[in-house]
Amino acid sequence: MGCLTRDRQKGRRGLLITFEGVEGSGKSTQCARLAKLLRKEGYRVLETREPGGTPFAEWIRALLLARASQLASETVAPLTEAYLIMATRSQHVAYLIKPALEGGAIVICDRFIDSTLAYQGYGRGLDVQTLLSLNRFATGGLKPNLTLLFDVPISTGLTRRRREQGMELN
């Protein structure tokens, strides 16, 4: 696998590989494929996702996903949403990602900082520089070694997403 050697796993820091892209772009599928390939080659691999990854972070994820249907009378402020995402990221990095990296594992993460910049920054209108600062604080400065961006037309992603959920329109 090129410059990536199994020796990297023995007492050395691991790698963080993040996958970014719109819904239905194939991130989750490709995360699983890469993890399978790396395991077959003898690497220790941790697959995870954001928001989420730890029990507490998954609880916050569920809160974020449920808010639309349960809080119809109250819109969650963009900054509140960003803080909740930073809370999940901080927990995720502290209790799952950093320990795995310190143990020499390759961590494959479905979404990370770039999703926050896209959704909360450009999508919700928050200042990108502020989000970058909050991310540095939440992660202790941790950055991915490699980020793969999956770019498909939004219509393609939405069609795939509906198909996955059994909601394809004829």
Side-chain angles (χ1 to χ4, degrees), residues 18-28 31 50 109-112 114-116 118-119 147-154 157:
T18 60
F19 286 65
E20 300 283 1
V22 298
E23 290 293 320
S25 63
K27 296 178 309 300
S28 300
C31 283
E50 286 212 349
C109 190
D110 188 338
R111 297 198 186 276
F112 200 59
D114 293 315
S115 286
T116 305
Y119 286 98
T147 297
L148 301 170
L149 173 63
F150 292 78
D151 184 20
V152 300
I154 292 173

Side-chain angles (χ1 to χ4, degrees), residues 60-71:
I60 296 173
R61 175 190 178 94
L63 177 68
L64 286 165
L65 294 175
R67 71 176 159 84
S69 62
Q70 296 174 350
L71 299 174

Side-chain angles (χ1 to χ4, degrees), residues 101-144:
L101 293 173
E102 289 167 0
I106 298 172
V107 178
I108 298 172
C109 190
D110 188 338
R111 297 198 186 276
F112 200 59
I113 293 169
D114 293 315
S115 286
T116 305
L117 300 178
Y119 286 98
Q120 282 67 47
Y122 298 104
R124 303 275 269 153
L126 295 178
D127 181 70
V128 171
Q129 290 306 311
T130 299
L131 290 172
L132 286 168
S133 293
L134 289 171
N135 271 296
R136 275 192 300 279
F137 184 66
T139 64
L142 178 69
K143 293 181 182 176

